[in-house]
Amino acid sequence: QVQLVESGGGLVQAEGSLRLSCAASGRTFSTYAMGWFRQAPGKEREFVATITWSGATTYYADSVKGRFTISRDNAKNTVYLQMNRLKPEDTAVYFCAAGTSPVVRSTADIESWGQGTQVTVSS
């Protein structure tokens, strides 16, 4: 399995931006599809974005499409989530995730989770 460590969360005002990073170690990072999920208090963990092992294909939840961008640098074993035009409803703990499916859009696809990083958007 791959080990994942997120960073970059914090407090930001509405319409602001944050970039999350997820550093991977362990098995070959470039063989994994990567994704970001989030969980708000009292809610289930939900899909945010995913990227294939090559970085050629990405998918997004409708709620973040056009505002968030997922990318990866296989040479640095890192995946990123650039979040722009943040809204208070984006407030959640954000989790990095890895799986061997072509993409990871469901928690059932996930083999490894990071510990999570808090993102809080104030209005």
Side-chain angles (χ1 to χ4, degrees):
Q1 283 190 337
V2 64
Q3 289 76 48
L4 305 172
V5 178
E6 301 98 333
S7 60
L11 173 65
V12 63
Q13 289 188 333
E15 296 299 313
S17 298
L18 281 175
R19 188 176 83 153
L20 305 183
S21 299
C22 173
S25 61
R27 285 185 58 186
T28 307
F29 173 74
S30 62
T31 67
Y32 283 86
M34 299 297 297
W36 289 93
F37 290 71
R38 66 186 182 186
Q39 188 166 18
K43 295 188 176 182
E44 293 188 353
R45 195 168 296 189
E46 65 175 5
F47 166 74
V48 175
T50 186
I51 188 167
T52 54
W53 67 269
S54 67
T57 304
T58 58
Y59 296 99
Y60 298 91
D62 287 344
S63 59
V64 307
K65 203 172 294 183
R67 300 187 298 122
F68 290 10
T69 303
I70 188 171
S71 62
R72 67 190 295 162
D73 185 338
N74 286 344
K76 296 182 178 180
N77 284 8
T78 303
V79 64
Y80 305 97
L81 186 68
Q82 178 67 44
M83 304 185 294
N84 298 328
R85 292 187 284 128
L86 282 159
K87 304 176 180 181
E89 51 264 43
D90 294 318
T91 295
V93 178
Y94 283 70
F95 296 89
C96 179
T100 54
S101 301
V103 291
V104 289
R105 287 192 281 192
S106 165
T107 56
D109 296 328
I110 306 305
E111 294 190 10
S112 297
W113 291 100
Q115 83 286 354
T117 185
Q118 177 70 46
V119 171
T120 303
V121 184
S122 62
S123 57

